[in-house]
Amino acid sequence: MIEVVASLSRGPVFLAGETLECLITFTNPLSHRSTSASSEMLAWASAQIHCQFHASENRVMLPSETPKQDVQAENETVLVPNRGERGQCFLATPPKILFCDLRLDPGESKSYSYRETVPVEGPPSFRGQSVKYVYKLTIGCQRVNSPIKLLRVPFRVLVVHGVEDTQFHHDEAVAPSNPFLEEEEGTKKDSRLVEIATEMLMMATSRRSQHLFNITNARGKVGKFCIFKTVYRIGEDIVGTFDFSEGDIPCLQFSVSLQSEEHVLEKYQRRPNQPASLTAHARHQESCLHTASTHFCLPIPLSATPGFSTDIVALRWRLHFEFVTAGEPMEPPTVPENQSEIITWTGAEQINVDTFSWDLPIKVLPTNPVLASYVAHVEAELLCFSQLILGFVKGLFCSYSVLCMRGLWVRKSRGVQWLWGICEERFTDLDYADDSVIFIESMEALIIALERLSEESEFLDL
């Protein structure tokens, strides 16, 4: 038996055009003291990046193609990275051979470094209702006269248009350098690529100008809406304000939804005039009767896909507004001049209402892949939380969750394999609640809480 472990050194998110680096370790896990221990031989191993494309048969009509045989003979030595997967290979890099004729004695392991540039001509990673674009690093190895075994490492790709046209040598000629730091040429270029992409995104999303919109319906003016920009990066907050003080029609309630629209191009639509697929990412709803002004704040998830377009599908973003207005004017509650008097205001039991909606298109761009990778690690660590435990520690009441510390250490040392170690953990001497909820004020507060929880878990031998 051979154990294969793949670890992405930088994280699971990359820019198109950036170099992906993966450390691949082959280990013979048997101990040399075992009676059945023997050397293991591998004929070859290679690695390759590919983007797998899958379309929904209910929404997308692709040109008919001759089906390919998906069964690989035992004596075949050709690496097919998408073997056994649905869909078709959208693009792939040339395979790179890691080794040939590798022998591992019991307890021995060998590591190989794989480096490849993420293709710039591909789409970003996307899992939609109509189509899916999934990037994977596939590692294949084979014994003699045995079938090929595949290990797939999924990763995420963000596309920043215009970065691939940047000339690096002009910038590097005038950039200050530190003679005491040795940096590889490839690493330096990747770092510069991320810096230039981040600067481009910052310039595109930092421009602010006041955009005012009058909200009206058939009966008259309802209010005003103000937003300071319409171009955002994933991870940013969308902030907007409403002013109902000058409205003629009372607004009883409003809601704002952050939605992405997945449009299939006309020639690939399964049905004529096929509507776009909508996905809601955040929503704010508020009752606003007799409210002069208010605001909302909608976060754009870092896991969301920025807007893009291919020959088959286009992804766009919008803010979807829904308003509920009264059919007739409503008198506001009377405020007594003498504050000692107490009055009670009761709303009407029945009101004739009108509803209408409005869509405001916005642009959503990528962000720094390092930030997206870091948040992906934090989200993965949240999966390690067990159910909520309530108890008293050193006289202070606290609520905390138990972390599989062994699983976390496996994650730090084995990259994408860390979840397997966690799934093997079992708790036998703790009483759990039925559910758990974690409230945090900021990402920094969550990191501090994770560090404290790690210390407490070590103290309790968990």
Side-chain angles (χ1 to χ4, degrees), residues 312-325:
I312 300 176
V313 69
L315 184 70
R316 306 186 186 116
W317 287 77
R318 72 180 188 183
L319 291 176
H320 179 70
F321 299 83
E322 294 182 357
F323 299 92
V324 180
T325 59

Side-chain angles (χ1 to χ4, degrees), residues 417-438:
Q417 304 294 326
W418 67 281
L419 282 177
W420 299 356
I422 291 173
C423 294
E424 297 173 357
E425 296 298 319
R426 294 292 183 271
F427 294 93
T428 58
D429 57 345
L430 296 172
D431 187 18
Y432 295 101
D434 294 331
D435 199 0
S436 62
V437 179
I438 303 171

Side-chain angles (χ1 to χ4, degrees), residues 152-457:
R152 294 188 175 98
V153 182
F155 62 96
R156 183 184 178 190
V157 174
L158 300 175
V159 177
V160 179
H161 297 287
V163 178
E164 63 273 10
D165 301 328
T166 304
Q167 299 294 329
F168 291 97
H169 58 273
H170 294 298
D171 296 332
E172 292 176 358
V174 297
S177 59
N178 190 337
F180 301 100
L181 295 178
E182 295 183 0
E183 192 173 9
E184 296 182 1
E185 188 66 25
T187 304
K188 185 177 181 180
K189 183 177 179 181
D190 288 341
S191 176
R192 187 64 180 147
L193 177 69
V194 173
E195 291 178 2
I196 293 177
T198 303
E199 291 176 3
M200 293 175 59
L201 294 172
M202 287 292 292
M203 290 180 60
T205 58
S206 61
R207 299 168 184 167
R208 296 176 179 270
S209 61
Q210 190 179 40
H211 300 272
L212 288 174
F213 301 89
N214 289 321
I215 307 171
T216 61
N217 61 3
R219 296 179 180 271
K221 183 177 180 180
V222 178
K224 289 182 179 180
F225 172 68
C226 176
I227 194 170
F228 287 95
K229 65 176 186 175
T230 57
V231 182
Y232 300 87
R233 302 188 309 274
I234 56 174
E236 279 193 289
D237 293 335
I238 302 176
V239 180
T241 61
F242 291 97
D243 183 5
F244 300 110
S245 61
E246 300 179 0
D248 302 324
I249 307 300
C251 184
L252 305 179
Q253 179 180 287
F254 73 89
S255 66
V256 186
S257 299
L258 175 62
Q259 299 177 345
S260 59
E261 302 175 293
E262 188 179 350
H263 296 266
V264 178
L265 300 189
E266 186 176 356
K267 66 177 181 178
Y268 294 107
Q269 293 181 1
R270 178 64 65 178
R271 300 179 302 275
N273 299 323
Q274 180 174 295
S277 302
L278 298 178
T279 302
H281 301 270
R283 187 171 186 268
H284 175 89
Q285 180 174 316
E286 185 176 333
S287 298
C288 55
L289 179 60
H290 305 315
T291 299
S293 62
T294 184
H295 73 282
F296 69 89
C297 180
L298 295 178
I300 305 176
L302 274 167
S303 58
T305 301
F308 72 96
S309 178
T310 65
D311 296 337
I312 300 176
V313 69
L315 184 70
R316 306 186 186 116
W317 287 77
R318 72 180 188 183
L319 291 176
H320 179 70
F321 299 83
E322 294 182 357
F323 299 92
V324 180
T325 59
E328 56 188 14
M330 301 184 63
E331 294 295 332
T334 303
V335 179
E337 296 181 359
N338 188 357
Q339 298 296 331
S340 61
E341 298 181 11
I342 299 177
I343 64 171
T344 302
W345 181 84
T346 305
E349 296 182 357
Q350 293 184 351
I351 301 177
N352 295 325
V353 298
D354 297 323
T355 60
F356 65 97
S357 61
W358 170 50
D359 295 324
L360 176 63
I362 62 173
K363 289 184 179 181
V364 176
L365 303 179
T367 189
N368 190 323
V370 178
L371 174 62
S373 298
Y374 177 75
V375 174
H377 284 312
V378 173
E379 291 177 351
E381 289 183 1
L382 290 178
L383 295 177
C384 307
F385 277 100
S386 68
Q387 296 174 320
L388 189 67
I389 304 171
L390 299 180
F392 289 87
V393 176
K394 297 181 180 180
L396 296 177
F397 178 81
C398 66
S399 61
Y400 58 92
S401 297
V402 176
L403 278 173
C404 302
M405 295 308 300
R406 191 177 306 171
L408 284 180
W409 286 118
V410 171
R411 180 193 69 78
K412 293 179 180 178
S413 60
R414 296 191 177 183
V416 297
Q417 304 294 326
W418 67 281
L419 282 177
W420 299 356
I422 291 173
C423 294
E424 297 173 357
E425 296 298 319
R426 294 292 183 271
F427 294 93
T428 58
D429 57 345
L430 296 172
D431 187 18
Y432 295 101
D434 294 331
D435 199 0
S436 62
V437 179
I438 303 171
F439 296 95
I440 60 172
E441 296 180 354
S442 63
M443 186 63 65
E444 290 78 11
L446 177 59
I447 296 173
I448 295 175
L450 288 173
E451 293 176 351
R452 287 294 304 275
L453 188 55
S454 174
E455 297 173 0
E456 293 291 340
S457 300

Side-chain angles (χ1 to χ4, degrees), residues 2 4-6 24 26 42 44-48 50 52 70-72 76-85 95 136-143 146-154 417 420:
I2 296 292
V4 182
V5 176
I24 306 169
F26 298 83
L42 286 178
W44 59 270
S46 64
Q48 184 178 7
H50 78 282
Q52 190 72 6
D70 195 28
V71 178
Q72 191 162 5
E76 189 176 355
T77 60
V78 178
L79 174 62
V80 182
N82 62 327
R83 174 166 56 91
E85 293 190 311
K136 296 180 181 180
L137 167 62
T138 301
I139 303 162
C141 57
Q142 184 182 30
R143 286 193 177 97
S146 299
I148 297 175
K149 299 297 183 180
L150 301 179
L151 172 63
R152 294 188 175 98
V153 182
Q417 304 294 326
W420 299 356

